[in-house]
Structure formats: C-alpha cells, structure tokens
C-alpha cells in the first residue's frame, strides 16, 4: 500500500510541477526562461529529461520499499533464532 501511496504522491508532484509549467508555457507565459536545461537544449530535451527523472524516482521508490521489506524479513528470522 505504501508503494501505491508513494507513486500517487510522485504523480501529484508531476501534475503540479511539470504539467502546470507546460500549460503556462503553452499559454505564452515565460515560465521556462530561467530553466537552464530548457535554455541550453530545448523543449523536447526538457520533456525527455523530466520523463527519465520521474521514471527513475518511481523505480527508486519501489526498490527502496522492496529492500526495506527484505531487510525486515531477515531481521525477523535472525531474531527468532
């Protein structure tokens, strides 16, 4: 359950950060003028880097929870012996 909640919160972060930035950018606001990735490499690289970054963050969250469960199981076995 904690994995689902964490992924949901990451997706909310994407919604509130990148999607609102994209909406403001398409409406003509200058929200990306101070973004160094956007200024140096352009719009498509900014989108691709955001997708890669958030994918990495979601995979790290899943791996971290899996590792915690595995360590907790090993601790329980050693404690019972």
């Amino acid at each position: 359950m904690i994995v689902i909640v964490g992924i949901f919160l990451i997706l909310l972060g994407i919604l509130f950060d990148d999607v609102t930035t994209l909406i403001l950018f398409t409406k003509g606001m200058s929200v990306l003028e101070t973004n160094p990735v956007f200024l140096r490499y352009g719009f498509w690289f900014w989108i691709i880097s955001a997708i890669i970054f958030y994918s990495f963050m979601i995979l790290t969250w899943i791996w971290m929870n899996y590792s915690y469960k595995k360590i907790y199981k090993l601790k329980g076995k050693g404690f019972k012996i």
Side-chain angles (χ1 to χ4, degrees), residues 48-75:
I48 291 170
S49 65
I51 291 170
I52 291 171
F53 173 72
Y54 284 116
S55 299
F56 177 72
M57 204 159 61
I58 288 171
L59 288 175
T60 303
W61 177 252
I62 292 169
W63 173 78
M64 194 169 55
N65 281 289
Y66 173 74
S67 298
Y68 177 75
K69 285 179 187 178
K70 194 166 110 178
I71 289 170
Y72 190 74
K73 266 188 207 177
L74 291 175
K75 179 184 177 248

Side-chain angles (χ1 to χ4, degrees), residues 25-44:
F25 180 70
T26 57
K27 298 243 183 226
M29 309 271 182
S30 59
V31 292
L32 291 174
E33 284 183 357
T34 58
N35 189 334
V37 174
F38 176 76
L39 289 177
R40 174 84 173 146
Y41 300 108
F43 178 75
W44 290 110

